[in-house]
Amino acid sequence: MTNKEYADFLLPGVEHDYQYYLDKYKPRDLDKDAIVTRAAPSPTGKLHMGSLMQSLISSLYAKQTKGVMFLRIEDTDHKREIENGPESIVEDFKNLEIDFDEGYSFGGEYGPYLQSERKDIYQAFAKKLIENDLAYPCFCSAEELDEIRKLQEAKKARIGYYGKYAKCRYIPREEVVKRVNAGEKYIIRLKSPGSFYNKCCLHDLIRGDIEMPENDMDIVVIKADGLPTYHFAHAVDDSLMFTTHIIRGDEWVASYPIHDQLFKVLEFPLPNYAHISPMNVKDGDSIRKLSKRKDPWAAMSYYDEAGIPKDAIKLYLATLINSNFEEWYNQNSDKSIYDFTFSFDKMSVTGPIFDVEKLDNISKTYFSRLSAETIYNHLVEYTSKYDDEFNKLVVNNKEKMINILNIERGGEKPRKDIASYSDVKKYFWYMFDELFDKNTDSYEEFNPIGKEILLEYVNNVYDINDSEEEWFNKVKEFAEKYGYTSNRKEYKANPDNFKGTTADFCKVIRIIITKKNMSPNLYEIIKILGVETLKKRIELFYK
Ligand code: GLU
């Protein structure tokens, strides 16, 4: 039996040989520095903040180098898969507006992009290894593997299937043939050519060089179901798809020696690697990994419900990816994250700490740069999904809502209050009688002014057509008549001579119409609410 016949015997029914695939997938025609990278999620759950971060990094590097970002679904572990896993991943990515140039559901020349549809390809390359005496069948049962482990523990030896412990490695070919013919089940293992006493080096683009012992484990390449392990699929897929940069979680650093060896035995050039640390959170005094279970904000649905825009989240993540991004963003308000040049050597080796407050601030800056119309359109969309009552008000009062959103927008120092679409109602409910009338908050405190004085102001002095300056001068004059001064110094020197300052007078009006001590520009608020509402709210307060 030749080696080729032996490989055919062990993995029968494989349609093409590896050469067919080497000829089929042609190198990509891209610029020399173009980065080809991928998101390679397993369809085991919804996307979360960590996976968004990783795919955003990949997408940024691919875009800035005019490269390619593709989506490969790693569905080789059916036990852990969720229902509609691949579709739900695609939907999550679409919702987050992460663009793929090709991949599962996007098409492309390097597919299939669903690993379960690539069985033939993996087996073709496993056969190459068998032919070159670099792979062999293993018949060991779970019990036998357990025995090996116990023996190693007793001898204080390294745990694993390697060297003399790799017992199926030494089964003569004739015996293998007999056992296979007798129907015994087997998997395919790598016959590792490595030695634990040699070194291999990971040149990580973020972490620098990391030396590790060479792999000497006869790792599984093809499992009992005919599908590959992650390691083998990584080497085969990323080679045939011409991935130049593997940007993945740092949990894979320890397996790098396996990958290094697989690329070598398969005669593929090594790609570049960048291992990303997981995101952390502060938990009391300690720092721990972001957890889907403990941190509600790890799930993307949290942001959707809160109405925090995806672009604001991406801006925030960009500040975590490269710390000099934020300064750039502050100076380049009209640009998008894709205009910034990210670099691997500015990425931190330790995981970034996810800071909700910082995200809030970035989101406020983001909102402060949007036009009122843009916010309005998204607000309609958001409220139609999450807040029927407010949606009706927003839709029926378009002009008013835009005017509200326009208060202190634009200019050198725009107002930064809204961090999410849900904040709009939180900050401006009092602008709608429907919400004001049923609000049960108490009014903040102030030194009282008689109802008649306020009504006199509204009826005889206030004019909706006044400019802000005219309005303010009139308020001053009116308030002075009733013992309020616009001279702060004078007030400070002799507080007993006055009822308060003009600001105190305005505060009364502000609290009566908003219940709050602080609000955006009072002149604008009164103007939008109008005289009738002003009167109504004065009456209501004194009732
Ligand atoms: N399917 C792997 C995971 O979800 C992908 C790792 C990689 O990017 O290579 O962890």
Side-chain angles (χ1 to χ4, degrees):
M1 203 185 249
T2 63
N3 283 4
K4 183 162 183 322
E5 284 164 348
Y6 186 52
D8 282 340
F9 172 73
L10 291 174
L11 291 173
V14 179
E15 202 178 336
H16 299 290
D17 68 358
Y18 71 89
Q19 191 58 46
Y20 168 86
Y21 293 109
L22 292 180
D23 295 337
K24 176 173 174 187
Y25 300 110
K26 302 273 181 294
R28 295 168 184 272
D29 185 16
L30 294 168
D31 290 354
K32 170 168 119 317
D33 296 326
I35 288 180
V36 178
T37 187
R38 78 294 194 278
S42 307
T44 50
K46 303 289 284 172
L47 285 189
H48 53 91
M49 200 39 104
S51 33
L52 170 62
M53 172 88 161
Q54 249 180 58
S55 40
L56 180 65
I57 295 171
S58 301
S59 152
L60 290 169
Y61 284 115
K63 274 217 167 68
Q64 81 182 30
T65 58
K66 299 197 173 54
V68 172
M69 155 87 158
F70 66 84
L71 174 63
R72 182 171 70 226
I73 304 281
E74 310 218 313
D75 61 338
T76 55
D77 185 355
H78 290 301
K79 278 191 249 77
R80 291 175 55 226
E81 224 168 277
I82 56 161
E83 209 183 319
N84 280 332
E87 279 65 37
S88 116
I89 284 181
V90 171
E91 197 186 308
D92 285 352
F93 275 124
K94 284 194 173 151
N95 281 339
L96 290 164
E97 286 158 21
I98 294 280
D99 295 335
F100 288 98
D101 302 292
E102 62 180 57
Y104 177 76
S105 93
F106 297 94
E109 308 268 294
Y110 297 85
Y113 296 92
L114 189 64
Q115 287 186 327
S116 57
E117 290 175 3
R118 299 172 65 80
K119 202 168 178 173
D120 203 74
I121 306 179
Y122 304 119
Q123 295 202 356
F125 283 90
K127 280 170 74 176
K128 173 179 167 148
L129 295 184
I130 296 170
E131 274 181 63
N132 294 339
D133 197 25
L134 285 163
Y136 62 90
C138 170
F139 300 94
C140 284
S141 61
E143 292 73 38
E144 283 171 291
L145 293 176
D146 210 40
E147 266 167 37
I148 295 173
R149 190 180 47 79
K150 282 191 190 130
L151 184 68
Q152 288 166 336
E153 276 169 359
K155 288 184 162 182
K156 298 202 164 39
R158 280 184 299 127
I159 308 293
Y161 206 84
Y162 62 96
K164 62 179 182 200
Y165 298 104
K167 59 186 204 181
C168 289
R169 205 189 234 242
Y170 307 102
I171 304 174
R173 196 177 276 191
E174 304 72 55
E175 194 187 321
V176 168
V177 173
K178 262 195 219 142
R179 289 173 74 168
V180 172
N181 283 337
E184 252 189 81
K185 293 272 167 281
Y186 56 94
I187 56 171
I188 305 293
R189 282 185 188 272
L190 169 73
K191 190 185 259 184
S192 171
S195 156
F196 183 70
Y197 303 99
N198 291 341
K199 296 274 178 246
C200 86
C201 187
L202 161 63
H203 304 288
D204 191 278
L205 292 168
I206 300 171
R207 287 148 201 267
D209 288 356
I210 305 174
E211 249 190 13
M212 286 176 268
E214 220 172 61
N215 175 57
D216 66 346
M217 299 281 162
D218 287 357
I219 55 115
V220 178
V221 292
I222 301 288
K223 301 181 292 182
D225 58 6
L227 284 168
T229 50
Y230 166 77
H231 310 300
F232 194 59
H234 157 47
V236 171
D237 289 348
D238 284 312
S239 300
L240 296 183
M241 295 176 182
F242 294 91
T243 311
T244 62
H245 287 66
I246 310 295
I247 301 171
R248 65 183 178 187
D250 70 351
E251 67 272 24
W252 298 108
V253 168
S255 346
Y256 174 75
I258 297 174
H259 305 155
D260 181 274
Q261 192 166 69
L262 283 172
F263 277 84
K264 285 177 182 150
V265 296
L266 288 164
E267 298 171 284
F268 286 131
L270 270 168
N272 298 292
Y273 285 89
H275 287 93
I276 318 269
S277 307
M279 221 178 268
N280 295 312
V281 281
K282 277 213 181 97
D283 193 346
D285 287 338
S286 57
I287 287 177
R288 57 162 176 80
K289 271 194 197 176
L290 187 76
S291 136
K292 279 202 249 184
R293 200 166 43 83
K294 292 187 198 153
D295 307 310
W297 51 83
M300 297 321 300
S301 50
Y302 172 85
Y303 300 90
D304 204 52
E305 276 167 44
I308 299 171
K310 293 151 211 143
D311 284 342
I313 303 170
K314 287 186 205 167
L315 282 168
Y316 171 61
L317 293 180
T319 68
L320 299 181
I321 297 170
N322 272 188
S323 55
N324 53 335
F325 172 79
E326 194 174 359
E327 201 188 328
W328 175 88
Y329 177 62
N330 287 334
Q331 286 158 9
N332 292 277
S333 50
D334 51 329
K335 304 247 165 73
S336 103
I337 44 174
Y338 292 100
D339 298 315
F340 178 77
T341 307
F342 287 88
S343 67
F344 284 108
D345 52 16
K346 290 213 176 60
M347 290 179 68
S348 91
V349 173
T350 52
I353 297 178
F354 191 83
D355 179 347
V356 187
E357 234 168 82
K358 182 81 189 285
L359 167 60
D360 205 61
N361 281 333
I362 298 260
S363 195
K364 283 179 181 165
T365 306
Y366 169 78
F367 269 103
S368 76
R369 291 176 180 180
L370 296 180
S371 71
E373 287 76 11
T374 306
I375 301 178
Y376 177 81
N377 291 337
H378 285 116
L379 182 64
V380 171
E381 218 174 282
Y382 170 77
T383 51
S384 74
K385 198 162 161 195
Y386 291 111
D387 189 344
D388 271 353
E389 178 195 45
F390 197 42
N391 180 255
K392 283 195 192 86
L393 292 174
V394 168
V395 170
N396 296 333
N397 297 280
K398 181 171 178 179
E399 202 188 322
K400 176 175 175 179
M401 193 65 238
I402 291 180
N403 287 339
I404 295 170
L405 292 167
N406 254 332
I407 302 177
E408 293 170 67
R409 181 158 300 280
E412 286 268 292
K413 275 199 150 189
R415 195 178 170 82
K416 293 186 182 176
D417 44 6
I418 308 164
S420 66
Y421 292 103
S422 56
D423 277 352
V424 177
K425 185 178 184 186
K426 210 155 78 198
Y427 288 118
F428 292 111
W429 56 270
Y430 54 77
M431 296 303 285
F432 297 93
D433 286 344
E434 294 83 341
L435 300 178
F436 191 92
D437 292 346
K438 58 179 211 187
N439 180 281
T440 54
D441 293 356
S442 44
Y443 292 85
E444 284 191 35
E445 286 191 20
F446 58 86
N447 288 331
I449 300 183
K451 176 178 166 187
E452 283 66 36
I453 300 181
L454 289 173
L455 286 177
E456 183 192 338
Y457 166 73
V458 177
N459 289 327
N460 304 343
V461 179
Y462 180 75
D463 182 346
I464 199 155
N465 297 313
D466 281 345
S467 70
E468 187 165 357
E469 203 187 337
E470 286 163 341
W471 168 80
F472 192 61
N473 287 336
K474 282 188 186 171
V475 172
K476 248 178 4 196
E477 203 181 305
F478 181 81
E480 265 166 19
K481 196 169 96 185
Y482 286 101
Y484 294 83
T485 175
S486 48
N487 187 331
R488 288 195 134 265
K489 264 198 195 147
E490 209 174 56
Y491 178 73
K492 273 216 169 126
N494 294 301
D496 295 340
N497 291 354
F498 304 98
K499 278 181 112 176
T501 63
T502 320
D504 293 325
F505 180 81
C506 289
K507 182 170 147 180
V508 174
I509 301 182
R510 170 175 286 124
I511 294 176
I512 287 179
I513 60 179
T514 70
K515 295 195 172 179
K516 292 167 193 261
N517 209 344
M518 298 226 286
S519 78
N521 186 311
L522 185 62
Y523 163 76
E524 302 275 0
I525 290 190
I526 300 177
K527 207 172 148 113
I528 296 172
L529 286 177
V531 180
E532 288 316 309
T533 301
L534 205 57
K535 278 196 225 169
K536 225 165 61 189
R537 290 197 187 172
I538 292 172
E539 296 286 355
L540 187 74
F541 178 77
Y542 289 99
K543 211 166 66 181

